[in-house]
Amino acid sequence: MKCERVCRKHVHRGYTDATVKLTLASLLLAILLAPAVRADEPIDFNRDIRPIIFSRCVPCHGPDGHARKAGLRLDIESGSRADLGDGVHAIVPGDLAASALIARVTAADPDDRMPPAEKGDPLSSAQVALLRRWLGEGAQYARHWAWIPPVDAPPPPRVDGSPAPTAIDAFIEARVRSAGLPLSPSADRATLARRLSLDLLGLPPTLEELDAFLADTADGAWERLIDRTLASPRFGERWASVWLDLARYADTKGYEADRERTMWPWRDQLIRALNADQPFDQFTAEQLAGDLLPDATEEQLLATGFHRNTMTNDEGGTDDEEFRIAAVLDRIDTTMKVWMGLT
């Protein structure tokens, strides 16, 4: 597999850093983050525990003081350790017997068991086992993953000691082997060319492009095909489509009659930026505040259209301040979703 080389070329084009991470994550998530946690690895709060607590517990034991039950707050570590009265604590790190959380999620009496029946099914045995392990290991919380700087992880060694074609290959191979699965054989060259074109351009290769690649048997043929594919103007169109979705793009205003709004110049500027290998930090600054840059060019002014995609309402009788606030909230929400992965 050569996916790391392709991804490096994506990142080299700078602007695609975010979309590459999202796309690569979706491709590898099922492999690298399998739901079963091996017994020899520590519990990871964000991966293993946060999904349980925030989906099953936080609706009644979260930040909303009006909706909070029994004075228990489980979305933050300090709340989970609080004295609930009579010396009862939901979580006592390292002490399963003293942790009311375990007693309540495993209670035989439906009136005592959490979550309540009206809130859904009881936790599965696998979920309870994860909570037990987590408590036994100290019940440490962690910041939301979006706020934790990524760290390098050295590629795992191969069974035979030989170097893997790429670091990504090493991780995938190790995870596949740990699941007792065999590695798939390499695809034929025509299939590889088709996959590459569909991934990068969203289009199959033409017969001429395919024939040229199959006829190129010299060393570096695959790398040359990647370069040619990345140089296609269709590349910017393919990856612009991803960004347009993130930016809630439309050539209409939304609301009421959904009247026309001219936004295609921003779309075309976006495609040009992607095809021009614009660095992601520069791309970010221009998308969010191109109009505030010193001596802003027309292209930089157009780039700021990212936040002009918010819906606007000019129907007669509407409250201007109400919809101004709605637009501000939408822009903040979209910025944090796109750049920080928050929801």
Side-chain angles (χ1 to χ4, degrees):
M1 293 174 62
K2 302 289 186 176
C3 54
E4 185 185 47
R5 182 176 294 114
V6 174
C7 288
R8 279 204 305 269
K9 286 181 175 289
H10 273 292
V11 175
H12 175 67
R13 299 177 80 96
Y15 50 83
T16 55
D17 196 15
T19 49
V20 166
K21 288 176 182 175
L22 290 171
T23 304
L24 185 59
S26 67
L27 291 172
L28 300 183
L29 191 60
I31 297 176
L32 300 180
L33 298 181
V37 182
R38 298 198 307 272
D40 60 347
E41 66 175 327
I43 291 291
D44 180 283
F45 177 81
N46 281 324
R47 180 191 64 197
D48 306 319
I49 304 302
R50 182 185 289 277
I52 300 173
I53 290 179
F54 277 73
S55 65
R56 307 306 307 279
C57 308
V58 165
C60 294
H61 301 292
D64 185 351
H66 297 290
R68 192 179 304 144
K69 306 297 184 182
L72 172 60
R73 184 172 181 179
L74 288 174
D75 61 308
I76 57 175
E77 185 171 322
S78 60
S80 72
R81 270 66 160 164
D83 189 332
L84 302 176
D86 298 327
V88 175
H89 296 78
I91 292 177
V92 180
D95 191 339
L96 296 179
S99 298
L101 175 68
I102 296 299
R104 296 302 295 272
V105 299
T106 59
D109 187 339
D111 291 335
D112 293 333
R113 188 172 56 234
M114 293 288 134
E118 65 270 17
K119 297 294 184 180
D121 295 332
L123 298 187
S124 68
S125 57
Q127 290 173 321
V128 173
L130 285 173
L131 290 175
R132 288 181 182 275
R133 284 186 55 189
W134 177 58
L135 279 161
E137 294 175 9
Q140 294 298 308
Y141 278 65
R143 302 175 73 192
H144 188 282
W145 64 265
W147 305 108
I148 301 175
V151 295
D152 286 334
R158 304 181 89 183
V159 175
D160 61 6
S162 63
T166 71
I168 289 178
D169 289 314
F171 282 108
I172 294 177
E173 181 177 329
R175 185 64 188 90
V176 169
R177 290 193 184 283
S178 72
L181 300 173
L183 294 174
S184 298
S186 296
D188 60 81
R189 296 184 80 215
T191 300
L192 285 175
R194 178 178 172 82
R195 290 175 180 172
L196 177 71
S197 185
L198 289 172
D199 284 346
L200 296 187
L201 308 182
L203 299 167
T206 65
L207 288 176
E208 292 76 15
E209 291 167 340
L210 185 58
D211 288 342
F213 173 59
L214 295 178
D216 185 357
T217 58
D219 290 342
W222 175 244
E223 286 73 15
R224 286 190 291 275
L225 177 62
I226 293 174
D227 289 335
R228 290 196 299 271
T229 307
L230 288 171
S232 169
R234 304 288 84 80
F235 178 88
E237 296 171 3
R238 162 73 179 92
W239 290 99
S241 68
V242 177
W243 197 256
L244 293 174
D245 286 342
L246 296 174
R248 64 269 193 262
Y249 170 75
D251 279 299
T252 56
K253 297 180 180 181
Y255 291 127
E256 201 240 333
D258 198 24
R259 293 188 173 89
E260 181 179 355
R261 172 168 57 193
T262 303
M263 283 302 299
W264 62 263
W266 171 76
R267 176 203 64 196
D268 288 1
Q269 187 278 331
L270 173 66
I271 294 171
R272 290 194 294 271
L274 300 183
N275 279 329
D277 294 350
Q278 189 176 55
F280 187 61
D281 55 353
Q282 179 185 349
F283 177 81
T284 295
E286 294 183 4
Q287 290 284 298
L288 294 178
D291 57 328
L292 299 180
L293 296 175
D295 302 317
T297 65
E298 183 174 310
E299 287 288 285
Q300 290 171 329
L301 293 175
L302 280 173
T304 314
F306 176 86
H307 270 319
R308 190 173 180 260
N309 285 296
T310 189
M311 295 195 300
T312 57
N313 194 347
D314 52 11
E315 180 185 4
T318 56
D319 187 308
D320 289 344
E321 180 63 9
E322 175 188 355
F323 285 96
R324 186 188 72 84
I325 294 297
V328 170
L329 290 174
D330 173 69
R331 288 164 179 157
I332 295 171
D333 179 64
T334 302
T335 300
M336 299 311 291
K337 284 179 179 177
V338 171
W339 273 273
M340 297 305 299
L342 295 179
T343 61

